[in-house]
């Protein structure tokens, strides 16, 4: 009875992900057979796999298709977000090895877990139904829990991993609960099917489910009121792991949030808009105020990232192609700013110990003028000072919000941005006007390159914004 | 009474009896062994219903893996079960009330069903697909690697992460531990393993 099996779906559209998975398996074998001394080789192999995946994904062009019965989508939006995610993972991985070597946590499993996590992110961005969403999310999150605790002899690292795991499991539970309610109400798990079932009317049950799904997703992008884990996990994890957390997973989770909201729930726009507006305002305000009192730069950046997720959600609240374009642009610029800032944090080393309080930066303007200038530009950019890249990121989302008549949201966002500028500028003040502390040890050429590229991107973005903004616009159109 | 009914009463009778003994036996190892017996009988009941895949799963997963783990835990942890049972009797009134509520509900429902069978909506039996002769296992096998291949492989990757994570976070190579090296053991020959000593007469070694 050969005709009775279901047809084998096309594997072609998922080829980059399949190659990533196979590459990861080969690296696992290589590491397991050759032992700990292969860490360097496995890292290089992992970078090669990421680059190959990026090349293959950029080769997909404007392809818009789906496979595995609609659970895996390929479109320009996914392509844009995947390329950003891969870039974030690769740079975070590049910056890791020196730090992990010094803190004796350089195990060959680290690059492999980063790869598996990135694979989960790819699946998340491409998810076309609730089951694929959940599997991608778990693959991403489980790897993240482990890398948070990768320095297992350090109490804070273990604590970060445990906290992240417990709260993450809770959020997964909420997401699943919401997904099951949505399935119960609509009778389908595919986003397209849900959208068709919800045409023009949403029952109270679907909104109930949507709230829970949003709660689970807010946790992953660390948006208020599900942000509590962020400062502790950012502070406790090894710094390169924090850099990874702040970049790639945020891209993927934000991409998924945009995709599920825009493609599965267009029929109940007014309902989800309220949720997104609330989460967005709460994140922006909390990110601005809670960061003021922080002494530890990783904690400060954690609150900063909470605030930035709020700003990105402003674009999503608009719910139109212009807004989604704003989100995509915002996330890409946020990625560049964050990686540059974390490269600076990784350069804060005296002898063999890494320091992470803000006061350690005192007088950097005199002891290391180049790094101080780059960090100052990154801080100005994070604050949203024109004409740096961060200003344009905020510009696009706020313009989208104003055009969608969300005036209150836009005004509160701008006020929060002004409050937030205080703590970014305080770092600049400490660097340039305080009595110099002991100079940092010279940084590796790699960190210099990352800081340099990120700094140049931020300063020179206004000269030539068209490629990024154009790509984001093209990506956004494919969702509608 | 045909054979199927006879087997049904056999399996369910043993299952109930051994389930009772799980709770009643004083020795925790006996409890675990009775639990295994319960599972095997439940698997028999599944077989009678034609759910042979579930029956196999129950044996392989629960009896083969979960119960062995239970047995390990019970044997390795020195839990004083006699002490745990102290004051067990004081829960009796509450337990009796709960059991009573369950019993009343069950009896009431069955009585109601006997009087008016129409109240209980019977789900329409799933329409048998073209291959009504397929066994469960075969039907699952036909879709697992075709229709659901993406979910199946993704779940496999999630499990791989769990395995790598457990090893990364807990495995420690201690120095000075003597491990068995099978290759070394097999490679031993008579020449390396034995030494012939000439013992002089009347002098000992």
């Amino acid at each position: 009875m050969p005709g009775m099996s279901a047809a084998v779906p096309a594997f072609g559209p998922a080829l980059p992900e399949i190659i990533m998975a196979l590459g990861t398996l080969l690296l696992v074998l290589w590491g397991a057979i050759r032992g700990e001394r292969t860490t360097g080789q496995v890292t290089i192999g992992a970078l090669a796999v990421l680059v190959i995946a990026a090349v293959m994904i950029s080769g997909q062009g404007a392809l818009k298709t789906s496979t595995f019965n609609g659970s895996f989508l390929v479109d320009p939006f996914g392509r844009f977000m995947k390329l950003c995610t891969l870039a974030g993972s690769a740079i975070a991985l590049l910056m890791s090895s020196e730090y992990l070597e010094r803190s004796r946590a350089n195990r060959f499993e680290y690059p492999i877990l980063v790869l598996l996590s990135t694979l989960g992110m790819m699946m998340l961005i491409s998810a076309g139904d609730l089951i694929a969403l959940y599997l991608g999310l778990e693959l991403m999150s489980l790897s993240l829990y482990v890398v948070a605790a990768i320095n297992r002899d350090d109490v804070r690292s273990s604590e970060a991993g445990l906290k992240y795991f417990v709260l993450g499991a809770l959020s997964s539970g909420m997401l699943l609960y919401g997904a099951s309610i949505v399935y119960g109400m609509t009778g389908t798990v595919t986003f397209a099917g849900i959208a068709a079932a919800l045409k023009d009317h949403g029952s109270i049950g679907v909104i109930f489910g949507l709230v829970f799904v949003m709660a689970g997703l807010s946790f992953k992008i660390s948006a208020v009121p599900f942000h509590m884990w962020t400062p502790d996990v950012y502070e406790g994890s090894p710094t390169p792991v924090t850099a990874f957390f702040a970049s790639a997973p945020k891209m993927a989770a934000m991409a998924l949030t945009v995709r599920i909201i825009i493609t599965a729930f267009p029929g109940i726009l007014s309902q989800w808009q309220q949720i997104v507006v609330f989460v967005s305002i709460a994140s922006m305000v909390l990110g601005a105020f809670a960061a003021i009192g922080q002494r530890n730069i990783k904690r400060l950046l954690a609150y900063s990232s909470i605030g930035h997720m709020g700003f990105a959600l402003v674009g999503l609240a608009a719910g139109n192609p212009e807004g989604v374009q704003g989100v995509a642009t915002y996330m890409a610029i946020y990625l560049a700013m964050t990686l540059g800032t974390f490269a600076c944090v990784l350069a804060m080393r005296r002898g063999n110990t890494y320091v992470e309080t803000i006061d350690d930066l005192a007088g950097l303007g005199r002891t290391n003028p180049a790094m101080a200038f780059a960090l100052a530009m990154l801080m100005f950019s994070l604050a949203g000072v024109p004409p740096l890249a961060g200003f344009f990121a905020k510009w696009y989302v706020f313009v989208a919000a104003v055009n969608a008549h969300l005036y209150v949201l836009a005004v509160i966002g701008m006020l929060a941005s002004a409050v937030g500028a205080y703590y970014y500028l305080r770092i600049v003040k400490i660097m340039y006007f305080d009595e110099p502390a002991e100079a940092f040890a010279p940084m590796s050429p790699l960190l210099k390159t990352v800081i340099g590229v990120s700094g140049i991107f931020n300063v020179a973005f206004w000269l030539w914004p068209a490629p990024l903004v154009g790509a984001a616009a093209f990506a956004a159109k494919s969702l509608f | 009474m045909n054979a199927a009914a006879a087997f049904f009463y056999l399996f369910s009778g043993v299952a109930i009896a051994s389930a009772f003994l799980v709770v009643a036996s004083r020795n925790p190892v006996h409890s675990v062994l009775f639990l295994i017996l319960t599972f095997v009988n439940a698997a028999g009941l599944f077989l009678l219903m034609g759910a042979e895949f579930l029956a196999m799963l129950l044996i392989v997963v629960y009896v083969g893996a979960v119960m062995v783990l239970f047995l390990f835990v019970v044997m390795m942890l020195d839990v004083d079960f006699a002490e745990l049972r102290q004051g067990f009797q004081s829960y009796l009134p509450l337990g009796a009330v709960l059991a009573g509520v369950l019993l009343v509900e069950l009896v009431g429902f069955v009585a109601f069903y006997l009087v008016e069978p129409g109240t209980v909506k019977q789900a329409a039996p799933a329409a048998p697909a073209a291959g009504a002769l397929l066994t469960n296992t075969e039907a699952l096998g036909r879709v697992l690697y075709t229709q659901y291949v993406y979910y199946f492989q993704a779940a496999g990757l999630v499990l791989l992460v769990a395995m790598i994570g457990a090893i990364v976070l807990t495995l420690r190579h201690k120095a000075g531990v003597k491990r068995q090296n099978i290759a070394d053991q097999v490679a031993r020959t008579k020449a390396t393993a034995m030494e012939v000593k000439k013992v002089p007469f009347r002098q000992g070694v």
Side-chain angles (χ1 to χ4, degrees), chain A residues 1-2 4-9 11 21 25 28 68-69 71-72 107 109 112-113 116 119 123 129 131-132 135 138-139 142-143 146 149-150 152-153, chain B residues 129-134 138 142-143 145-155 157-162 164-173:
Chain A
M1 295 180 285
M4 282 183 33
S5 327
V8 178
F11 289 93
L25 294 181
V28 172
F68 301 125
N69 302 309
S71 47
F72 189 91
R107 306 163 55 96
E109 287 96 342
I112 286 168
L113 286 166
L116 282 166
L119 179 61
M123 290 164 54
D129 66 27
I131 300 176
L135 286 169
E138 281 307 293
L139 185 56
L142 277 174
S143 318
V146 181
I150 193 89
R152 61 185 187 185
D153 297 320
Chain B
L133 297 172
L134 279 185
E138 212 176 343
R142 278 177 191 277
V143 288
Y145 282 96
T146 53
Q147 194 176 353
Y148 298 115
V149 63
Y150 180 59
Y151 303 149
F152 190 64
Q153 297 299 329
L157 283 173
V158 172
L159 290 178
L160 177 71
V161 169
I164 296 177
I167 293 172
V168 168
L169 296 180
T170 57
L171 182 69
R172 282 170 201 276
H173 291 293

Side-chain angles (χ1 to χ4, degrees), chain A residues 190-255:
Chain A
T190 61
F191 295 164
I194 293 171
L198 293 181
K199 230 168 184 59
D200 314 319
H201 68 280
S203 63
I204 192 85
V206 170
I207 297 163
F208 205 72
L210 173 68
V211 169
F212 276 100
V213 170
M214 282 298 290
L217 293 177
S218 303
F219 179 90
K220 298 295 173 198
I221 58 171
S222 72
V224 179
F226 302 98
H227 63 285
M228 286 80 89
W229 58 278
T230 323
D232 291 345
V233 172
Y234 275 36
E235 189 188 358
S237 307
T239 311
V241 174
T242 314
F244 179 51
F245 282 0
S247 51
K250 292 268 168 97
M251 293 293 300
M254 185 58 90

Side-chain angles (χ1 to χ4, degrees), chain A residues 29 32 46 94 100 185 234 246-247 266 386 409 470:
Chain A
L29 279 182
L94 264 178
L100 292 176
M185 290 292 155
Y234 275 36
S247 51
L409 177 66

Side-chain angles (χ1 to χ4, degrees), chain A residues 153-365:
Chain A
D153 297 320
D154 179 48
V155 180
R156 290 195 312 162
S157 179
S158 309
E159 181 195 331
L162 196 62
K163 267 187 187 164
Y164 197 17
F165 172 67
V166 171
L167 293 174
L170 185 73
S171 83
S172 284
M174 287 204 270
L175 183 94
L176 274 184
Y177 184 49
S180 64
I181 294 177
V182 170
Y183 171 65
M185 290 292 155
T186 59
T188 174
V189 287
T190 61
F191 295 164
I194 293 171
L198 293 181
K199 230 168 184 59
D200 314 319
H201 68 280
S203 63
I204 192 85
V206 170
I207 297 163
F208 205 72
L210 173 68
V211 169
F212 276 100
V213 170
M214 282 298 290
L217 293 177
S218 303
F219 179 90
K220 298 295 173 198
I221 58 171
S222 72
V224 179
F226 302 98
H227 63 285
M228 286 80 89
W229 58 278
T230 323
D232 291 345
V233 172
Y234 275 36
E235 189 188 358
S237 307
T239 311
V241 174
T242 314
F244 179 51
F245 282 0
S247 51
K250 292 268 168 97
M251 293 293 300
M254 185 58 90
L256 175 80
T257 311
V258 171
R259 187 191 289 282
I260 190 171
I261 292 261
I262 298 290
T263 61
F265 298 103
I268 50 173
L269 182 134
S270 57
Q271 278 88 354
W272 63 250
Q273 205 169 35
Q274 291 172 14
I275 305 174
V276 173
V277 167
F278 166 74
V279 171
S280 167
I281 289 178
S283 305
M284 289 188 293
V285 172
L286 185 119
F289 282 96
I292 291 175
Q294 303 303 326
R295 300 248 144 260
N296 182 305
I297 189 140
K298 279 156 81 182
R299 275 189 96 81
L300 184 133
L301 287 172
Y303 284 109
S304 158
S305 92
I306 294 173
H308 280 289
M309 288 306 117
F311 288 115
L313 286 174
V314 170
L316 176 59
N320 52 27
E322 195 187 7
V324 174
Q325 179 198 351
V327 177
T329 316
Y330 198 101
M331 291 308 292
I333 292 175
Y334 165 80
L335 186 77
M337 295 189 294
T338 306
L339 288 171
T341 313
F342 272 101
C344 290
V345 177
L346 278 168
M348 292 168 63
R349 175 170 63 86
R350 295 209 174 96
N352 246 346
T353 49
Y354 285 88
V355 290
E356 33 188 71
T357 67
I358 294 170
D359 294 328
D360 288 313
L361 286 167
L364 191 67

Side-chain angles (χ1 to χ4, degrees), chain B residues 44-60:
Chain B
L45 288 173
F46 275 131
L47 266 185
L48 285 182
M49 287 190 286
E52 87 289 343
F53 187 73
L54 269 180
M56 284 192 292
L57 271 192
L58 204 62
I59 301 271
V60 172

Side-chain angles (χ1 to χ4, degrees), chain A residues 329 333 389 392 396 456-465 468-469:
Chain A
T329 316
I333 292 175
F392 289 97
Y396 287 114
I456 291 168
F457 174 83
N458 273 296
V459 174
F461 177 75
W462 62 277
L463 288 174
W464 200 36
L468 180 66
V469 178

